[in-house]
Amino acid sequence: MVNYKNLFMRYMDREGVKYTEMDDHVVKVVYTGDNLKTIPVFVFFDQDGEPLISVKCWEIANFKEDKMAGGMIACNMLNKEYRWVKFYLDDDSDVVAQIDAYVEETTCGSECLSLVKRMVNIIDEGYPTFMRAIWA
């Protein structure tokens, strides 16, 4: 059985990308953005060994109860603009960005890192939208 997480980590080692192995199925990669200083992205690998990954970041913004409507509108605005990343508010009112994808064994590392970088760029570009909604 192919271990997609190990393929991803080996690729990042070759590319000189720093990461943290969180557990048997999760790797964290942290980037710095222009608008959001720390963007931690978690890559979840299927526990059954399927070539399915889920890339998530939930440390973007938090909407208090009186600002939830603005948070949902901000998520919808960004979902309309960016097709690769899905934004939503979770049960704790945190903004979550997520990408789900199937990867190929031979290109797993580059595909996963490409999705992580795409997510980081979209989160960083979308961050001011969330801040405007929070401070409106």
Side-chain angles (χ1 to χ4, degrees):
M1 182 183 308
V2 176
N3 187 323
Y4 291 94
K5 184 188 84 162
N6 286 341
L7 291 173
F8 179 46
M9 290 188 308
R10 283 198 306 256
Y11 181 82
M12 288 193 300
D13 288 339
R14 286 192 305 273
E15 295 295 312
V17 177
K18 294 181 182 178
Y19 61 90
T20 303
E21 185 177 5
M22 303 303 290
D23 66 27
D24 290 344
H25 304 287
V26 182
V27 174
K28 179 171 86 170
V29 185
V30 180
Y31 280 91
T32 301
D34 294 328
N35 297 309
L36 182 59
K37 294 305 172 204
T38 303
I39 306 172
V41 177
F42 296 82
V43 183
F44 294 83
F45 294 87
D46 186 78
Q47 294 186 12
D48 297 327
E50 296 295 320
L52 175 65
I53 64 161
S54 185
V55 183
K56 292 184 180 183
C57 178
W58 54 82
E59 296 181 22
I60 303 167
N62 180 274
F63 284 87
K64 303 293 183 213
E65 191 170 316
D66 62 328
K67 299 285 186 171
M68 291 285 289
M72 288 187 267
I73 291 169
C75 287
N76 285 341
M77 287 172 54
L78 292 174
N79 285 338
K80 180 181 173 187
E81 189 171 342
Y82 299 103
R83 68 183 178 113
W84 285 96
V85 175
K86 169 180 62 177
F87 289 96
Y88 62 92
L89 298 179
D90 69 6
D91 294 338
D92 297 324
S93 303
D94 292 324
V95 174
V96 178
Q98 181 174 341
I99 298 173
D100 295 318
Y102 282 98
V103 293
E104 292 290 325
E105 180 179 347
T106 57
T107 57
C108 172
S110 62
E111 286 179 74
C112 290
L113 189 57
S114 176
L115 291 172
V116 167
K117 288 179 178 180
R118 183 177 301 256
M119 175 177 273
V120 165
N121 289 333
I122 291 171
I123 289 170
D124 196 50
E125 289 173 15
Y127 182 71
T129 301
F130 292 118
M131 290 301 98
R132 283 191 294 276
I134 287 174
W135 296 106

